[in-house]
Amino acid sequence: MNKVTVLGSLNVDTSFRIKSFPKPGETVQVSEKSNAAGGKGANQAVAAARQGAKTAFIGQIGNDGAGKFMLDSLKADNIDSTYVSQNESVGTGTANIMLDEDGQNCILVYGGANQSLTDDDVSKAEPIIKDSDFIVAQFETPEQAAISAFQIAKKNNVITVLNPAPAPASAINPELLKLTDIIVPNELESASITGIKITNENSMIKTADTFAGMGVPNVIITIGDKGAFYSTKNGHGLIPAYKVKAVDTTAAGDTFIGALVSQISPDFSNIVDAIKFAEHASSLTVQRLGAQPSIPTLEEVLKVAK
């Protein structure tokens, strides 16, 4: 069983089902509205926990009902929330999600307490980081918090996993990249960081080489319904995706990350099998509505992975 710590966001998601995305100035009717626990970090932690990993979380909520809701959701999946702090002046993060008929989404995120996470909060969590096999971070919390967490991890031989999502608006701090053992962007995030558009396998290999030049030795690029490309010191390859009818893609990438770190070995020797497992998990997620409600259990993934 892998021991996974996730540093990241906690958001209450409100989803709106619509026929198609509105044009500027247009008003559209909502056919269905729902609320669910979400946030990229929380989704990834839930995915890891549901796939059998011993999971802990580092994050921040507000002193409000939404914060209590998010804490309860973590505890429901047996995620250690010891290091989820409470902010007395800023509310819990929220996200408004528009879903069209094809299952594609547009998301508006209010960072709230997620953006108030500090180095001090991370330092307090050092015991749980030291006891982990992997630590995962994204960009819905401050970059400096991820740097601090990865510094602790590297001192204690913990594998660092960076999911650079949402796509960074400015250059990533080079120190963070040098502290990253494996980076897992999607194709758009990858292009945003490296300047290389993913068009074919050659562009993927060039991208991996570029990340290596930045200090990141291992790469997985998720490419939607085409699958995932990986590159490590032992080789590279493209693992095709499993074809399903997507209903809601909101937590697909987060499910992939959480499922991946629940299965992959610290030396990445089983990376192909871990990616296939993560793709099975993600293929189940996109066939359901909602973020965390759509994330499958280990038993469900094993059924489709036979």
Side-chain angles (χ1 to χ4, degrees):
M1 177 193 298
N2 282 348
K3 291 183 285 186
V4 175
T5 294
V6 178
L7 181 151
S9 54
L10 296 147
N11 293 332
V12 175
D13 292 347
T14 301
S15 296
F16 303 95
R17 295 282 293 176
I18 56 178
K19 184 177 177 63
S20 58
F21 297 125
K23 301 177 180 64
E26 182 184 14
T27 299
V28 300
Q29 292 295 317
V30 174
S31 61
E32 186 179 339
K33 175 185 173 184
S34 60
N35 292 306
K40 295 195 72 61
N43 294 344
Q44 290 170 16
V46 167
R50 289 185 187 170
Q51 308 317 310
K54 183 179 180 183
T55 309
F57 199 84
I58 304 168
Q60 190 167 105
I61 55 172
N63 183 10
D64 49 29
K68 183 179 184 304
F69 176 72
M70 291 307 303
L71 268 184
D72 289 345
S73 73
L74 292 179
K75 291 173 182 175
D77 278 292
N78 298 310
I79 296 169
D80 184 345
S81 59
T82 303
Y83 298 103
V84 176
S85 57
Q86 183 173 283
N87 191 306
E88 297 298 326
S89 58
V90 181
T92 300
T94 59
N96 289 319
I97 303 165
M98 291 186 293
L99 298 166
D100 72 6
E101 289 184 336
D102 296 322
Q104 297 301 308
N105 62 57
C106 288
I107 306 175
L108 298 173
V109 176
Y110 164 66
N114 296 313
Q115 291 299 318
S116 297
L117 197 66
T118 66
D119 282 353
D120 186 49
D121 296 315
V122 174
S123 295
K124 290 175 183 175
E126 182 169 352
I128 201 71
I129 297 173
K130 289 169 64 174
D131 189 45
S132 302
D133 299 309
F134 296 87
I135 182 164
V136 184
Q138 327 77 32
F139 286 154
E140 286 187 342
T141 49
E143 187 178 58
Q144 185 55 48
I147 291 172
S148 298
F150 281 16
Q151 286 172 335
I152 294 169
K154 296 300 283 183
K155 286 183 210 171
N156 293 279
N157 298 313
V158 176
I159 303 300
T160 56
V161 182
L162 180 63
N163 173 220
S170 56
I172 299 174
N173 189 320
E175 184 179 0
L176 179 59
L177 292 172
K178 290 173 184 175
L179 292 165
T180 298
D181 290 311
I182 183 166
I183 192 166
V184 191
N186 65 26
E187 57 189 314
L188 297 179
E189 293 152 359
S190 172
S192 173
I193 298 164
T194 65
I196 301 169
K197 185 177 180 181
I198 299 297
T199 56
N200 53 32
E201 189 169 0
N202 284 338
S203 65
M204 298 173 201
I205 294 169
K206 186 178 179 182
T207 296
D209 290 341
T210 301
F211 275 121
M214 295 175 174
V216 187
N218 305 288
V219 180
I220 297 175
I221 306 170
T222 57
I223 316 169
D225 60 6
K226 295 181 180 65
F229 171 84
Y230 72 91
S231 177
T232 71
K233 65 180 181 180
N234 296 319
H236 65 267
L238 178 64
I239 310 297
Y242 300 102
K243 303 299 182 183
V244 296
K245 170 63 177 175
V247 174
D248 179 359
T249 60
T250 301
D254 297 333
T255 299
F256 181 92
I257 299 274
L260 178 80
V261 295
S262 78
Q263 304 297 312
I264 199 167
S265 60
D267 64 359
F268 306 133
S269 58
N270 67 337
I271 191 168
V272 172
D273 287 340
I275 289 174
K276 289 179 179 178
F277 180 92
E279 287 185 344
H280 276 301
S282 188
S283 73
L284 290 172
T285 293
V286 301
Q287 296 178 72
R288 305 167 176 175
L289 290 174
Q292 288 179 26
S294 71
I295 298 171
T297 63
L298 176 60
E299 182 181 11
E300 289 174 317
V301 177
L302 291 176
K303 278 184 181 177
V304 300
K306 287 181 179 178

